[in-house]
Amino acid sequence: MSRQRSTAEVISSSLSAILLLGLLSGPVSAHEPVDTTATATATPVADSTGAAGADTAKGGPHPRRVARAVRCPAAPVIDGRLDDAVWALAPENSGFTQRDPKAGEPMTECTVFRILYDDEALYIGAMLYDREPDRIMARLARRDDWKQRDEFNVNLDPQHDHQTGNFFVVDPSGWMGDGVMWNDGWDDDSWDGVWDARTAILADGWSAELKIPYRVLRFSPREQYTWGLEVMRNIGRKNEWGQWTYIPREVNGWNSRFGHLEGIERIDPPRSLEVFPFGLGRVIASPGGVDGDGDTEATATAGVDLRYALNSGVSLNGTVNPDFGQVEADPAVLNLSVFETFLSERRPFFLEGNSVFETPGPFIVGVDGPTRLFHSRRIGRTPSRFDLPDDGEEVDRPDNTTLLGAMKLSGKTAGHTSFGVLEAVTDEEFARVDQPRVDPVSGAIDTVRRTVRVEPFTSYFVGRMQRDVRTGRTVGAQLTAVNGQDFEPAYVGAVDAQLKWKENAYTVFARLAASQAGQDEDRGEGWEGDFYFSKFSGWIGGQVYADVRSEGFQANDLGYMDRAGRITTGAHLQLRRLEPWRLGRRGEVNLNAWHHRNLDGIELARGVNINLWNAYENDWGSSAGLSHEFRVEDDLNTRGGPVMARPANTSWWVDTWTDDRGAVSGWVSYNGNRGLGGDNQRHRLSGEIGWRPRSNVELEVEPGYSRERTAAQWVDNVDDNGDDEADHYVFGHLDSRTFEIQARGSIAFTPRLSLQAIVQPFVTTGDYEEIKELARPHSFAFIPYEGLEDNPDFSQRSLRANVVLRWEYAPGSTLFAVWQQVHDWELEDADSPNFEPLSGVGRSLTDDGDNILLLKVSRWFGL
């Protein structure tokens, strides 16, 4: 056993890594009531100059349009109206080109924008003319709730690295959306900056004013600035997207094709400190207390989040005693596979700016892709580092490990090196366990309840650096570390490179990673290599790829991967129709082939796939696909036992969806799978119907039903003679059924006040027949087995419910009032369980479970 690491050592080692990475990085150089009576200047008929980008549609070089910002002597009042005299100082910018539906043609309505600046912020004013103002689509909703609507969208690349940036979006109701961009085309809307916008609906269209403080942007200080700029408009009722700098659909790349914003000079943004203190009160009512009446627990706590701009390009984020109580609960799933379920991140601190830790990576189609070296859900996971005593029976354990604090340092230097460092520390956690005890006097056996440590005090570290060698060419490195008390540390390091050429049409991505994950069983040193070559531009594209992992490679301490000891190769061919044709607006056909084997040469997967989708002129769409996987072998299905065969199977699916601009919309999907002459089969039918009775109200119901018959589902490994070696690998013929519903409702009272509810009942049963054991290795042959002690049949139901009232009562300051319910029910020894979906859903609503009431208030201070 390794020497126990003290708390001070754990923190010291992580802080040292932060300091080292910092040294290596080099020098750091909403809305007022709608007014439909106001008027503006005469409405131009169309954006007649929009054809400036038409040459691009024919494959010529894209034009580099330039907008000029003008310093303003006094900041305009942000009220949605361009009636401040200061706006006349800035030149007009117009000439928008359609990207959809009639690519390369001028937009049918005129758009004009102007840009001002001072030492605090950038100001953007826009007039979006419309000859039918009564048909403007204004959908009031909570922030970052993306629906089809009229939009004004500003994309900025302040670093002017052709790779990164921010986007800011408003609609006529005052709704706001924002996010970050990276890797020249990827985006993430989990970032929420503190900026301001107002809009107004007028007699000849609608107008918008945006104030974007420099503190929400990142750029290296200099005397004069040239930023990347793209401005877009969507006319919702026409489904018409237009761009100031035209970027054709068939080309690859996004930020690298922006126009320029010039004129900003001699600004001195102050080092801003943003402080988000919060207070929280929580009441948890749990059933089944000591007296049978249930337990009620009330707690109160406080914490603080910090953002400090070391300069305009580098910021430090921290959180002390964070609480994520208002975060939506994970949905219930039925997982009988050998791999864990991947759960998406939902916590705001880890979502915001998470892209800085992502490798550029390839565009993956039909495969898992390279290992995720950083999966933030590992931080604060269900406590499980240490096992329970062999003779102990668990009573309960915390759902999550307590996060004591976390810190992120990220930014980009003047030398075009971006970096990110994250350090998080979690607390010890204990489970309650019942253990048998022999009385030393009487010899009687009773049960004693005690606490057992299942998670130690732990430090998590991740750091990433990436250097822009040239536009579209990057090299990077990443390191993750998990250190704690009483377990061996785990480290993963990687280097990667990405090369793009011919207007970003072609991409080569390569990565080499290595791990050192302690000296426990099945954990040691290993490596992974990835190589991807892809072309995604024009009417034909695709990729070829290879991913090799050694047996000892292990990244699951702070990353996510399914298995080690695997070689994955494959190819993808894509054929696209991007212009309107006889059958629709555009479409695509994809062909895929893949092959997996382990390092012993055993073939684990081999298959082919064809799939297609098509968007129709009426804005409906459909897709379909067909796959076939050939007979191969499986070295994990016996859970540590011999290799067994996996029969061939064929799967198919078909989906269709409606235009989502109407009051009622939805989609329906069916997929099936069949093998072994029908002994293996799966059918799933799901869909969604959405109803929007008003522009600020939305109701959605998404039901799903699936039935699966599996000829050989693993049940247990049985050791007859107690030598810790399994003698029987037991399987059963499983008939499982699942019914689930996700019901969502939301109402936005203002752009900053909304109420949202999500209810997710889940019902599943499993009936095992023909209990049997594997007859011999490398086969799919079985013989009857009658020694199984426990009945593996199951019947489960659950409920996840969240109701959240969110009020942004001041910029960056929010109040959350939350009610949560979590119900879980399981029938033990469920012999031939009855599947009753509707009654099961009804019972899930009344099952015992925790009721949680939460009130959280945070306040933003910009210092």
Side-chain angles (χ1 to χ4, degrees):
M1 174 179 286
S2 65
R3 177 178 66 87
Q4 178 171 323
R5 296 167 61 86
S6 68
T7 300
E9 287 178 307
V10 171
I11 296 177
S12 177
S13 64
S14 297
L15 292 179
S16 298
I18 292 175
L19 179 60
L20 177 62
L21 190 64
L23 293 173
L24 291 175
S25 66
V28 174
S29 355
H31 183 62
E32 300 301 327
V34 172
D35 183 353
T36 59
T37 61
T39 60
T41 58
T43 308
V45 173
D47 244 343
S48 58
T49 58
D55 288 343
T56 314
K58 302 174 183 178
H62 64 280
R64 186 69 71 181
R65 305 195 70 183
V66 177
R68 178 161 295 274
V70 174
R71 180 181 285 274
C72 54
V77 177
I78 305 301
D79 58 5
R81 305 174 184 282
L82 307 179
D83 51 8
D84 296 86
V86 69
W87 283 116
L89 300 176
E92 289 187 346
N93 302 278
S94 61
F96 281 62
T97 305
Q98 290 188 51
R99 195 170 194 250
D100 201 38
K102 297 181 179 181
E105 295 189 10
M107 287 198 75
T108 58
E109 305 289 348
C110 182
T111 306
V112 177
F113 68 93
R114 305 168 185 258
I115 301 179
L116 300 168
Y117 76 96
D118 58 19
D119 284 329
E120 178 190 359
L122 193 72
Y123 305 91
I124 302 171
M127 181 63 210
L128 301 98
Y129 293 99
D130 198 314
R131 287 165 290 180
E132 299 180 89
D134 56 330
R135 299 185 62 191
I136 290 174
M137 290 184 65
R139 286 190 172 173
L140 191 59
R142 60 184 174 83
R143 185 168 179 163
D144 292 335
D145 185 6
W146 304 93
K147 304 294 181 184
Q148 182 67 288
R149 50 163 61 92
D150 279 54
E151 289 181 7
F152 178 70
N153 187 325
V154 177
N155 286 208
L156 291 172
D157 175 10
Q159 293 281 9
H160 204 211
D161 57 11
H162 305 285
Q163 298 287 322
T164 62
N166 302 77
F167 58 88
F168 306 87
V169 190
V170 295
D171 91 335
S173 72
W175 169 87
M176 298 167 62
D178 55 9
V180 296
M181 300 174 289
W182 79 102
N183 197 30
D184 193 18
W186 296 10
D187 63 79
D188 180 3
D189 67 1
S190 60
W191 174 81
D192 285 332
V194 181
W195 55 288
D196 196 15
R198 293 293 189 274
T199 60
I201 296 180
L202 310 172
D204 51 359
W206 63 285
S207 58
E209 288 183 306
L210 285 69
K211 177 184 178 181
I212 304 174
Y214 299 133
R215 64 170 173 265
V216 304
L217 305 173
R218 291 185 176 179
F219 52 91
S220 300
R222 51 176 50 94
E223 284 296 314
Q224 295 181 336
Y225 296 87
T226 296
W227 292 356
L229 172 68
E230 175 65 294
V231 181
M232 297 179 290
R233 177 186 182 179
N234 181 37
I235 304 175
R237 70 178 182 278
K238 302 179 182 181
N239 206 9
E240 180 182 324
W241 277 96
Q243 299 172 308
W244 175 64
T245 294
Y246 177 57
I247 304 176
R249 290 193 298 262
E250 64 268 20
V251 302
N252 197 22
W254 186 252
N255 305 63
S256 59
R257 299 178 179 275
F258 284 2
H260 285 165
L261 173 61
E262 298 179 348
I264 302 174
E265 57 185 16
R266 295 189 298 276
I267 59 174
D268 186 22
R271 294 187 179 185
S272 64
L273 173 63
E274 298 176 82
V275 184
F276 299 80
F278 71 84
L280 181 140
R282 179 190 287 108
V283 177
I284 303 177
S286 303
V290 176
D291 56 4
D293 295 331
D295 293 330
T296 300
E297 176 185 0
T299 58
T301 188
V304 63
D305 295 336
L306 302 169
R307 295 178 189 158
Y308 178 58
L310 301 177
N311 64 23
S312 56
V314 180
S315 67
L316 177 68
N317 290 40
T319 182
V320 178
N321 192 32
D323 185 276
F324 307 112
Q326 78 273 17
V327 176
E328 178 185 342
D330 293 316
V333 295
L334 176 64
N335 183 1
L336 300 176
S337 74
V338 69
F339 303 117
E340 67 175 312
T341 299
F342 180 83
L343 298 175
S344 300
E345 182 59 83
R346 300 170 183 270
R347 299 168 295 177
F349 176 81
F350 292 106
L351 282 172
E352 185 173 332
N354 200 32
S355 61
V356 72
F357 302 106
E358 299 282 351
T359 56
F363 178 67
I364 307 298
V365 178
V367 296
D368 294 334
T371 299
R372 292 174 180 259
L373 298 184
F374 176 48
H375 179 41
S376 56
R377 285 297 296 263
R378 300 298 187 199
I379 304 172
R381 64 180 185 175
T382 300
S384 56
R385 174 69 65 176
F386 301 137
D387 295 331
L388 298 177
D390 292 338
D391 59 350
E393 182 178 348
E394 180 178 318
V395 177
D396 60 43
R397 74 173 69 200
D399 292 331
N400 302 103
T401 303
T402 301
L403 178 62
L404 298 176
M407 179 174 60
K408 284 189 291 190
L409 177 68
S410 59
K412 196 161 190 173
T413 69
H416 298 287
T417 298
S418 60
F419 64 91
V421 178
L422 183 146
E423 167 70 20
V425 179
T426 58
D427 203 357
E428 293 182 309
E429 298 292 353
F430 298 84
R432 292 194 298 171
V433 176
D434 284 343
Q435 282 186 279
R437 180 182 61 177
V438 179
D439 188 282
V441 178
S442 65
I445 300 177
D446 61 0
T447 300
V448 60
R449 179 166 295 177
R450 67 186 187 93
T451 58
V452 176
R453 187 172 62 149
V454 290
E455 192 73 28
F457 182 92
T458 305
S459 165
Y460 298 87
F461 169 84
V462 56
R464 173 159 178 80
M465 298 174 59
Q466 181 172 300
R467 172 81 173 183
D468 299 338
V469 181
R470 291 179 60 186
T471 299
R473 302 180 183 183
T474 64
V475 294
Q478 191 155 351
L479 172 69
T480 69
V482 180
N483 292 271
Q485 297 173 322
D486 300 329
F487 69 90
E488 292 288 343
Y491 302 100
V492 177
V495 292
D496 58 79
Q498 180 176 249
L499 171 64
K500 296 181 179 181
W501 71 96
K502 200 172 182 180
E503 291 285 308
N504 293 328
Y506 297 90
T507 302
V508 168
F509 171 81
R511 186 179 73 183
L512 182 62
S515 69
Q516 196 284 323
Q519 303 301 320
D520 300 335
E521 183 180 358
D522 297 329
R523 294 161 61 83
E525 298 178 354
W527 58 272
E528 178 187 42
D530 303 297
F531 177 83
Y532 291 78
F533 169 75
S534 60
K535 175 190 180 292
F536 289 106
S537 66
W539 69 273
I540 184 170
Q543 64 182 351
V544 293
Y545 53 86
D547 182 350
V548 183
R549 300 173 189 167
S550 72
E551 286 288 355
F553 184 70
Q554 176 57 258
N556 275 328
D557 288 274
L558 193 48
Y560 181 87
M561 56 179 280
D562 53 5
R563 60 164 294 160
R566 186 189 73 179
I567 301 174
T568 299
T569 56
H572 163 67
L573 177 66
Q574 179 187 75
L575 306 174
R576 299 190 296 174
R577 176 81 183 198
L578 299 174
E579 301 301 328
W581 61 310
R582 194 180 316 173
L583 297 180
R585 179 171 291 180
R586 58 181 180 269
E588 184 176 298
V589 177
N590 296 282
L591 303 172
N592 297 280
W594 60 91
H595 183 267
H596 305 176
R597 66 178 179 88
N598 66 15
L599 300 185
D600 294 326
I602 295 174
E603 195 174 42
L604 304 175
R606 180 164 55 95
V608 293
N609 160 263
I610 180 172
N611 65 82
L612 55 91
W613 66 266
N614 196 58
Y616 304 109
E617 289 292 345
N618 63 355
D619 293 309
W620 285 46
S622 63
S623 66
L626 178 67
S627 297
H628 182 76
E629 291 196 277
F630 300 92
R631 180 184 174 94
V632 291
E633 295 188 308
D634 193 325
D635 60 352
L636 298 179
N637 201 25
T638 56
R639 274 64 167 178
V643 175
M644 63 180 290
R646 187 168 73 239
N649 71 86
T650 301
S651 59
W652 57 92
W653 67 92
V654 60
D655 308 291
T656 187
W657 57 91
T658 71
D659 179 2
D660 68 354
R661 291 175 295 172
V664 179
S665 63
W667 55 265
V668 62
S669 173
Y670 167 76
N671 61 75
N673 181 292
R674 181 180 174 86
L676 279 178
D679 285 344
N680 278 340
Q681 58 178 296
R682 180 179 186 270
H683 303 276
R684 176 172 174 79
L685 180 65
S686 58
E688 179 186 275
I689 184 168
W691 179 44
R692 288 169 287 274
R694 297 175 60 88
S695 63
N696 65 326
V697 179
E698 185 168 26
L699 301 173
E700 295 175 328
V701 179
E702 184 179 332
Y705 168 75
S706 62
R707 181 175 184 180
E708 186 167 1
R709 294 181 62 84
T710 307
Q713 173 64 48
W714 178 84
V715 176
D716 198 7
N717 291 346
V718 180
D719 177 12
D720 282 341
N721 52 22
D723 62 354
D724 292 330
E725 295 289 338
D727 301 300
H728 307 276
Y729 302 95
V730 183
F731 293 79
H733 191 290
L734 173 63
D735 185 357
S736 65
R737 308 185 190 196
T738 300
F739 180 70
E740 58 195 312
I741 298 176
Q742 183 175 102
R744 299 180 296 272
S746 64
I747 178 171
F749 303 102
T750 73
R752 294 162 179 80
L753 176 62
S754 63
L755 180 68
Q756 182 182 38
I758 300 177
V759 181
Q760 297 171 285
F762 176 86
V763 179
T764 185
T765 61
D767 186 6
Y768 283 88
E769 300 174 348
E770 301 177 18
I771 302 300
K772 51 197 176 183
E773 63 176 304
L774 185 65
R776 57 187 179 277
H778 300 281
S779 75
F780 199 74
F782 301 89
I783 57 176
Y785 181 78
E786 298 180 354
L788 194 65
E789 295 181 358
D790 298 323
N791 178 11
D793 292 350
F794 59 86
S795 180
Q796 302 170 4
R797 61 177 180 260
S798 70
L799 178 74
R800 303 288 188 269
N802 258 40
V803 179
V804 180
L805 177 69
R806 182 186 186 278
W807 177 31
E808 186 176 349
Y809 59 91
S813 303
T814 55
L815 180 147
F816 289 96
V818 183
W819 170 64
Q820 292 179 325
Q821 272 202 336
V822 178
H823 300 173
D824 290 295
W825 176 92
E826 181 175 0
L827 177 63
E828 298 182 358
D829 194 23
D831 189 16
S832 299
N834 292 324
F835 181 66
E836 300 174 338
L838 296 181
S839 61
V841 168
R843 293 190 186 100
S844 72
L845 300 174
T846 59
D847 286 336
D848 289 338
D850 291 340
N851 279 278
I852 303 172
L853 296 175
L854 179 147
L855 183 66
K856 180 177 180 179
V857 181
S858 66
R859 177 71 183 182
W860 174 79
F861 295 97
L863 307 176

